[in-house]
Each structure stands twice: as C-alpha cells, then as structure tokens.
Amino acid sequence: NAGVMQNPRHLVRRRGQEARLRCSPMKGHSHVYWYRQLPEEGLKFMVYLQKENIIDESGMPKERFSAEFPKEGPSILRIQQVVRGDSAAYFCASSPVGGNQETQYFGPGTRLLVL
Amino acid sequence: AQSVTQLGSHVSVSEGALVLLRCNYSSSVPPYLFWYVQYPNQGLQLLLKYTSAATLVKGINGFEAEFKKSETSFHLTKPSAHMSDAAEYFCAVRPRSNYQLIWGAGTKLIIKP
C-alpha cells in the first residue's frame, strides 16, 4: 500500500508566480490535511478537506492561497503570486474514511523556495 | 487554546546513552498524543501514539512514551541511543473534539559517537 504521495518534492518559483502542490492520499483515505512548516518552526495546520468539500480552512491565509480535493485526482494546494515569505515545507497528510481518524499519515512534503 | 511545549530545541546524547525528549501539553481533557520523527529533507514518520489505552506506549525503533495525566506530559524515551536516531522529533496533540494536529516546535536529537 503506497503511502501519501506529494509532488513535486522541490519547487522553485520567482516572486509573483504561481505554485501548485499536489497530494495523493493513501489508498482508501478520503480525508486530506495540509500543514506548513516554516524554517526552524513546527508545523501549522492550514486546511482540512474531504472529497469535493473544504471542511476547515481556518489556517489558510486569507489571500492567495486555495485548496481543493476533487472527486478524481489529487488534492491541490495553490499559491498565487508567491512572495518570499511563502518559502516553507508544505506537508500533506491523509486519514481513513470515517472510523479511526486519530492518525494522520504524512507525505514527504514539498519544499517551496521563492526567489 | 491548546499548546504543546517541547523542552529543548536541541538535545545531545552519547551513543548508547538514554534518550529523553520532553513534551508537555495544555488541555483540561487528555487529547490524543503523538510523536513523529523527521529525518533531514524527509517527511514525518509516526513513531507512536496515545489514544487512551495503556499509558505506556511502545513505538517503532525502540522508542516508547508514557502518558502522565497529572503532569500533562508525554515524554519520549529510548534506553540506548543509536547513531541512526539523529533526527528532529515532534510532539503533537489532537483534541478529541477536533482533527487539527497541534505541534510542538521540535527537538533536534544529536548523537555523539
């Protein structure tokens, strides 16, 4: 059973460009969470999605950031008009359908560098 | 609001010595508790978790943690450190009424030969 997949692993963007980060959850998981890890800090929750629904986006910056989890395909975290402060590691996690939602399984992360 | 405190951003131990990484949380109701490990430039791997069963939880790679409600602590230990244990360790809590993981700032474990 493949784990959580994220791509790209590394992404370099210039200020003002768009960044698109992809996350494929573990097989059988329909809950996806995005976290951001700034340098020298712990992770901070951004958004929680189920298929075709945003459940909680309380951790998302109000502007430029959006997330989706379509019926088919991976979850996408999109950052428009990136700025240097967006440089961070972005981790996606997934958990199973219903039942035991206590454990979130993490992907390897996407490290975004904004020049 | 809930918070997680990891005492010591860096902990250095000799190979073969006891590893003790501290984690305290603030919550009136015991949450679910987790330890994750992050190797350089890699993702987070679950070491162990507490979900209200036994208070002493055994995890992978010889690590274990003990939940102490009276001390609101969930310290991570390993009897004998190995060079391969060098990594950053994160304590996280998840309130039982929520799904967000709340993270400590992490502790970098350094193993001296």
Side-chain angles (χ1 to χ4, degrees):
Chain A
N1 186 11
V4 178
M5 309 289 285
Q6 288 187 251
N7 69 81
R9 294 289 303 275
H10 299 273
L11 183 61
V12 180
R13 285 287 178 266
R14 297 191 180 281
R15 282 180 296 169
Q17 291 183 319
E18 178 180 286
R20 291 171 70 88
L21 288 60
R22 295 175 183 76
C23 169
S24 297
M26 288 179 72
K27 186 177 179 182
H29 290 195
S30 63
H31 301 247
V32 166
Y33 315 80
W34 285 94
Y35 292 84
R36 177 165 64 174
Q37 183 183 28
L38 294 170
E40 305 299 321
E41 293 187 18
L43 282 74
K44 296 286 193 293
F45 169 80
M46 297 182 76
V47 62
Y48 165 38
L49 310 104
Q50 294 181 21
K51 286 279 188 183
E52 301 183 281
N53 281 307
I54 297 174
I55 306 302
D56 180 355
E57 55 182 350
S58 60
M60 289 275 271
K62 294 287 185 280
E63 297 177 346
R64 304 186 296 109
F65 284 71
S66 62
E68 63 177 9
F69 189 16
K71 186 177 179 182
E72 302 290 338
S75 174
I76 307 284
L77 179 68
R78 183 179 175 204
I79 311 172
Q80 295 178 291
Q81 300 173 351
V82 296
V83 300
R84 288 217 173 106
D86 297 333
S87 295
Y90 293 82
F91 289 97
C92 166
S94 72
S95 65
V97 175
N100 179 4
Q101 295 187 32
E102 299 156 354
T103 300
Q104 295 174 17
Y105 297 89
F106 282 79
T110 294
R111 281 154 181 85
L112 172 65
L113 175 63
V114 179
L115 300 177
Chain B
Q2 290 221 10
S3 65
V4 179
T5 302
Q6 289 184 241
L7 190 61
S9 59
H10 293 76
V11 169
S12 180
V13 302
S14 298
E15 191 174 16
L18 171 72
V19 175
L20 170 61
L21 304 181
R22 299 177 189 274
C23 174
N24 288 86
Y25 65 92
S26 66
S27 174
S28 56
V29 177
Y32 298 131
L33 295 148
F34 305 83
W35 276 99
Y36 283 84
V37 60
Q38 184 180 30
Y39 296 99
N41 294 316
Q42 294 189 27
L44 294 140
Q45 182 180 9
L46 180 67
L47 270 179
L48 48 80
K49 65 179 182 181
Y50 167 77
T51 58
S52 76
T55 55
L56 182 62
V57 181
K58 293 189 186 298
I60 61 171
N61 301 339
F63 283 93
E64 61 183 36
E66 185 172 10
F67 169 66
K68 290 188 177 180
K69 183 178 177 181
S70 60
E71 298 177 9
T72 60
S73 68
F74 191 55
H75 301 331
L76 182 70
T77 60
K78 181 173 179 177
S80 177
H82 192 273
M83 295 300 290
S84 62
D85 295 326
E88 188 158 19
Y89 292 79
F90 290 93
C91 180
V93 304
R94 177 175 173 269
R96 289 171 187 270
S97 59
N98 202 330
Y99 40 75
Q100 295 182 19
L101 281 170
I102 300 163
W103 297 80
T107 297
K108 284 193 171 77
L109 178 62
I110 300 158
I111 311 296
K112 297 178 290 187

